[in-house]
Short mmCIF file of all heavy atoms in Angstrom, two decimals:
data_model
loop_
_atom_site.label_atom_id
_atom_site.label_comp_id
_atom_site.label_asym_id
_atom_site.label_seq_id
_atom_site.Cartn_x
_atom_site.Cartn_y
_atom_site.Cartn_z
N ASN A 129 0.48 6.85 6.30
CA ASN A 129 0.85 5.59 6.92
C ASN A 129 -0.40 4.93 7.49
O ASN A 129 -1.08 5.51 8.30
CB ASN A 129 1.85 5.91 8.03
CG ASN A 129 2.23 4.69 8.81
OD1 ASN A 129 2.02 3.58 8.36
ND2 ASN A 129 2.77 4.92 9.98
N HIS A 130 -0.68 3.73 7.04
CA HIS A 130 -1.84 3.01 7.59
C HIS A 130 -1.49 2.23 8.83
O HIS A 130 -2.24 1.38 9.27
CB HIS A 130 -2.41 2.06 6.54
CG HIS A 130 -3.42 2.71 5.66
ND1 HIS A 130 -4.63 3.14 6.10
CD2 HIS A 130 -3.38 3.01 4.35
CE1 HIS A 130 -5.31 3.68 5.10
NE2 HIS A 130 -4.57 3.62 4.02
N GLY A 131 -0.31 2.46 9.35
CA GLY A 131 0.06 1.76 10.58
C GLY A 131 1.21 0.80 10.39
O GLY A 131 1.78 0.32 11.34
N ASP A 132 1.56 0.52 9.15
CA ASP A 132 2.71 -0.36 8.93
C ASP A 132 3.66 0.28 7.93
O ASP A 132 3.35 0.46 6.77
CB ASP A 132 2.28 -1.74 8.45
CG ASP A 132 1.46 -1.68 7.17
OD1 ASP A 132 0.76 -0.68 6.95
OD2 ASP A 132 1.55 -2.62 6.39
N LEU A 133 4.86 0.62 8.43
CA LEU A 133 5.83 1.30 7.59
C LEU A 133 6.30 0.47 6.40
O LEU A 133 6.44 0.96 5.30
CB LEU A 133 7.05 1.68 8.43
CG LEU A 133 6.96 3.01 9.17
CD1 LEU A 133 8.19 3.19 10.04
CD2 LEU A 133 6.82 4.16 8.21
N GLY A 134 6.54 -0.79 6.67
CA GLY A 134 7.01 -1.66 5.59
C GLY A 134 6.01 -1.71 4.46
O GLY A 134 6.34 -1.58 3.30
N GLY A 135 4.74 -1.85 4.85
CA GLY A 135 3.67 -1.90 3.87
C GLY A 135 3.60 -0.62 3.06
O GLY A 135 3.29 -0.64 1.87
N LEU A 136 3.90 0.50 3.70
CA LEU A 136 3.85 1.79 3.00
C LEU A 136 4.87 1.84 1.86
O LEU A 136 4.55 2.28 0.75
CB LEU A 136 4.09 2.93 3.99
CG LEU A 136 4.03 4.36 3.42
CD1 LEU A 136 2.67 4.64 2.80
CD2 LEU A 136 4.35 5.38 4.50
N ALA A 137 6.06 1.36 2.14
CA ALA A 137 7.09 1.36 1.09
C ALA A 137 6.66 0.47 -0.07
O ALA A 137 6.82 0.83 -1.23
CB ALA A 137 8.42 0.86 1.67
N ARG A 138 6.08 -0.68 0.25
CA ARG A 138 5.63 -1.57 -0.81
C ARG A 138 4.53 -0.90 -1.64
O ARG A 138 4.58 -0.89 -2.87
CB ARG A 138 5.10 -2.88 -0.23
CG ARG A 138 4.41 -3.74 -1.31
CD ARG A 138 3.88 -5.07 -0.82
NE ARG A 138 2.97 -5.01 0.31
CZ ARG A 138 1.71 -4.59 0.25
NH1 ARG A 138 1.21 -4.19 -0.91
NH2 ARG A 138 0.96 -4.56 1.32
N ARG A 139 3.56 -0.31 -0.95
CA ARG A 139 2.45 0.32 -1.68
C ARG A 139 2.96 1.47 -2.54
O ARG A 139 2.49 1.68 -3.66
CB ARG A 139 1.37 0.79 -0.71
CG ARG A 139 0.61 -0.36 -0.06
CD ARG A 139 -0.68 0.12 0.57
NE ARG A 139 -0.45 1.13 1.60
CZ ARG A 139 -0.18 0.84 2.87
NH1 ARG A 139 -0.10 -0.42 3.28
NH2 ARG A 139 0.02 1.80 3.74
N ALA A 140 3.92 2.24 -2.02
CA ALA A 140 4.45 3.37 -2.80
C ALA A 140 5.10 2.86 -4.10
O ALA A 140 4.99 3.50 -5.15
CB ALA A 140 5.45 4.16 -1.97
N GLN A 141 5.75 1.73 -4.02
CA GLN A 141 6.37 1.17 -5.23
C GLN A 141 5.31 0.70 -6.21
O GLN A 141 5.43 0.87 -7.42
CB GLN A 141 7.29 0.00 -4.87
CG GLN A 141 8.32 0.40 -3.83
CD GLN A 141 9.57 -0.45 -3.92
OE1 GLN A 141 10.18 -0.54 -4.96
NE2 GLN A 141 9.94 -1.06 -2.82
N GLU A 142 4.24 0.12 -5.66
CA GLU A 142 3.17 -0.37 -6.54
C GLU A 142 2.44 0.79 -7.21
O GLU A 142 2.08 0.73 -8.39
CB GLU A 142 2.21 -1.26 -5.75
CG GLU A 142 2.87 -2.57 -5.35
CD GLU A 142 2.07 -3.40 -4.34
OE1 GLU A 142 1.03 -2.90 -3.84
OE2 GLU A 142 2.49 -4.52 -4.05
N VAL A 143 2.24 1.87 -6.44
CA VAL A 143 1.63 3.07 -7.04
C VAL A 143 2.55 3.60 -8.15
O VAL A 143 2.07 4.00 -9.21
CB VAL A 143 1.38 4.15 -5.95
CG1 VAL A 143 1.00 5.48 -6.57
CG2 VAL A 143 0.30 3.69 -4.98
N GLY A 144 3.85 3.55 -7.91
CA GLY A 144 4.82 3.93 -8.93
C GLY A 144 4.69 3.08 -10.19
O GLY A 144 4.78 3.58 -11.31
N ASP A 145 4.42 1.80 -10.01
CA ASP A 145 4.24 0.90 -11.17
C ASP A 145 3.04 1.33 -12.00
O ASP A 145 3.09 1.31 -13.23
CB ASP A 145 4.02 -0.54 -10.70
CG ASP A 145 5.26 -1.14 -10.05
OD1 ASP A 145 6.36 -0.58 -10.24
OD2 ASP A 145 5.12 -2.15 -9.35
N VAL A 146 1.97 1.72 -11.32
CA VAL A 146 0.76 2.15 -12.04
C VAL A 146 1.08 3.41 -12.84
O VAL A 146 0.76 3.52 -14.03
CB VAL A 146 -0.41 2.42 -11.05
CG1 VAL A 146 -1.60 3.04 -11.78
CG2 VAL A 146 -0.82 1.13 -10.35
N LEU A 147 1.74 4.37 -12.18
CA LEU A 147 2.07 5.63 -12.88
C LEU A 147 3.04 5.38 -14.02
O LEU A 147 2.94 5.99 -15.09
CB LEU A 147 2.65 6.65 -11.88
CG LEU A 147 1.65 7.16 -10.84
CD1 LEU A 147 2.32 8.12 -9.88
CD2 LEU A 147 0.46 7.83 -11.52
N ALA A 148 3.97 4.47 -13.81
CA ALA A 148 4.92 4.14 -14.88
C ALA A 148 4.17 3.53 -16.07
O ALA A 148 4.42 3.90 -17.23
CB ALA A 148 5.98 3.19 -14.36
N ALA A 149 3.25 2.64 -15.78
CA ALA A 149 2.50 2.00 -16.87
C ALA A 149 1.63 3.01 -17.62
O ALA A 149 1.33 2.83 -18.80
CB ALA A 149 1.64 0.87 -16.31
N SER A 150 1.25 4.07 -16.93
CA SER A 150 0.44 5.10 -17.59
C SER A 150 1.30 5.97 -18.51
O SER A 150 0.79 6.85 -19.20
CB SER A 150 -0.28 5.97 -16.57
OG SER A 150 0.59 6.96 -16.04
N GLY A 151 2.61 5.74 -18.47
CA GLY A 151 3.50 6.40 -19.42
C GLY A 151 4.18 7.65 -18.89
O GLY A 151 4.80 8.40 -19.66
N LYS A 152 4.12 7.88 -17.58
CA LYS A 152 4.78 9.06 -17.03
C LYS A 152 6.29 8.94 -17.24
O LYS A 152 6.88 7.90 -16.95
CB LYS A 152 4.47 9.22 -15.53
CG LYS A 152 2.99 9.42 -15.22
CD LYS A 152 2.45 10.72 -15.76
CE LYS A 152 0.98 10.92 -15.41
NZ LYS A 152 0.08 9.89 -16.00
N ASP A 153 6.89 10.01 -17.75
CA ASP A 153 8.34 9.97 -18.00
C ASP A 153 9.12 9.97 -16.70
O ASP A 153 10.09 9.26 -16.55
CB ASP A 153 8.75 11.19 -18.84
CG ASP A 153 8.10 11.17 -20.22
OD1 ASP A 153 8.29 10.16 -20.93
OD2 ASP A 153 7.40 12.13 -20.58
N TYR A 154 8.68 10.82 -15.78
CA TYR A 154 9.36 10.91 -14.48
C TYR A 154 8.37 10.62 -13.37
O TYR A 154 7.21 11.04 -13.42
CB TYR A 154 9.93 12.32 -14.25
CG TYR A 154 11.09 12.64 -15.16
CD1 TYR A 154 10.91 13.43 -16.29
CD2 TYR A 154 12.37 12.16 -14.88
CE1 TYR A 154 11.98 13.73 -17.13
CE2 TYR A 154 13.44 12.46 -15.72
CZ TYR A 154 13.24 13.24 -16.84
OH TYR A 154 14.30 13.53 -17.66
N ILE A 155 8.84 9.91 -12.37
CA ILE A 155 8.04 9.72 -11.16
C ILE A 155 8.84 10.27 -10.00
O ILE A 155 9.98 9.83 -9.74
CB ILE A 155 7.70 8.23 -10.96
CG1 ILE A 155 6.85 7.77 -12.14
CG2 ILE A 155 6.95 8.02 -9.65
CD1 ILE A 155 6.62 6.29 -12.21
N LEU A 156 8.27 11.26 -9.32
CA LEU A 156 8.97 11.89 -8.20
C LEU A 156 8.40 11.35 -6.90
O LEU A 156 7.18 11.43 -6.68
CB LEU A 156 8.79 13.42 -8.25
CG LEU A 156 9.09 14.13 -9.58
CD1 LEU A 156 8.84 15.63 -9.44
CD2 LEU A 156 10.54 13.87 -10.00
N TYR A 157 9.25 10.77 -6.09
CA TYR A 157 8.85 10.33 -4.76
C TYR A 157 9.30 11.36 -3.75
O TYR A 157 10.50 11.51 -3.52
CB TYR A 157 9.53 9.00 -4.40
CG TYR A 157 8.92 7.79 -5.05
CD1 TYR A 157 9.42 7.29 -6.24
CD2 TYR A 157 7.85 7.13 -4.45
CE1 TYR A 157 8.88 6.15 -6.82
CE2 TYR A 157 7.29 6.01 -5.03
CZ TYR A 157 7.81 5.52 -6.22
OH TYR A 157 7.28 4.41 -6.80
N GLU A 158 8.35 12.07 -3.17
CA GLU A 158 8.71 13.02 -2.12
C GLU A 158 8.48 12.35 -0.77
O GLU A 158 7.37 11.97 -0.45
CB GLU A 158 7.83 14.28 -2.24
CG GLU A 158 8.14 15.30 -1.16
CD GLU A 158 7.09 16.39 -1.07
OE1 GLU A 158 6.47 16.74 -2.09
OE2 GLU A 158 6.88 16.89 0.05
N THR A 159 9.57 12.20 0.02
CA THR A 159 9.38 11.58 1.34
C THR A 159 10.10 12.33 2.42
O THR A 159 11.21 12.82 2.23
CB THR A 159 9.98 10.16 1.47
OG1 THR A 159 10.98 10.02 0.51
CG2 THR A 159 8.93 9.11 1.41
N VAL A 160 9.49 12.34 3.59
CA VAL A 160 10.13 12.92 4.76
C VAL A 160 11.22 11.97 5.19
O VAL A 160 11.00 10.77 5.33
CB VAL A 160 9.11 13.07 5.90
CG1 VAL A 160 9.76 13.78 7.07
CG2 VAL A 160 7.88 13.81 5.43
N GLY A 161 12.41 12.50 5.38
CA GLY A 161 13.51 11.66 5.84
C GLY A 161 13.47 11.49 7.33
O GLY A 161 14.10 12.25 8.06
N VAL A 162 12.72 10.55 7.82
CA VAL A 162 12.75 10.24 9.25
C VAL A 162 13.16 8.80 9.41
O VAL A 162 12.48 7.90 8.98
CB VAL A 162 11.39 10.49 9.95
CG1 VAL A 162 11.21 11.96 10.25
CG2 VAL A 162 10.24 9.96 9.12
N GLY A 163 14.29 8.60 10.05
CA GLY A 163 14.77 7.25 10.34
C GLY A 163 14.80 6.39 9.09
O GLY A 163 15.41 6.75 8.10
N GLN A 164 14.13 5.27 9.19
CA GLN A 164 14.17 4.30 8.11
C GLN A 164 13.53 4.82 6.82
O GLN A 164 13.83 4.32 5.75
CB GLN A 164 13.45 3.01 8.53
CG GLN A 164 14.28 2.11 9.40
CD GLN A 164 15.57 1.69 8.73
OE1 GLN A 164 16.65 2.04 9.19
NE2 GLN A 164 15.48 0.98 7.62
N GLY A 165 12.67 5.79 6.97
CA GLY A 165 11.95 6.28 5.80
C GLY A 165 12.84 6.59 4.63
O GLY A 165 12.55 6.24 3.50
N GLU A 166 13.96 7.24 4.90
CA GLU A 166 14.83 7.66 3.80
C GLU A 166 15.48 6.47 3.10
O GLU A 166 15.72 6.51 1.91
CB GLU A 166 15.86 8.66 4.27
CG GLU A 166 16.71 8.19 5.42
CD GLU A 166 17.30 9.36 6.19
OE1 GLU A 166 16.66 10.42 6.23
OE2 GLU A 166 18.40 9.20 6.72
#
Side-chain angles (χ1 to χ4, degrees):
N129 176 18
H130 273 292
D132 58 330
L133 273 176
L136 182 60
R138 171 179 55 74
R139 290 196 301 274
Q141 305 206 55
E142 291 169 353
V143 170
D145 293 343
V146 173
L147 292 178
S150 80
K152 298 294 182 297
D153 296 304
Y154 291 101
I155 297 170
L156 310 179
Y157 282 94
E158 179 193 329
T159 23
V160 185
V162 280
Q164 281 301 115
E166 56 203 31

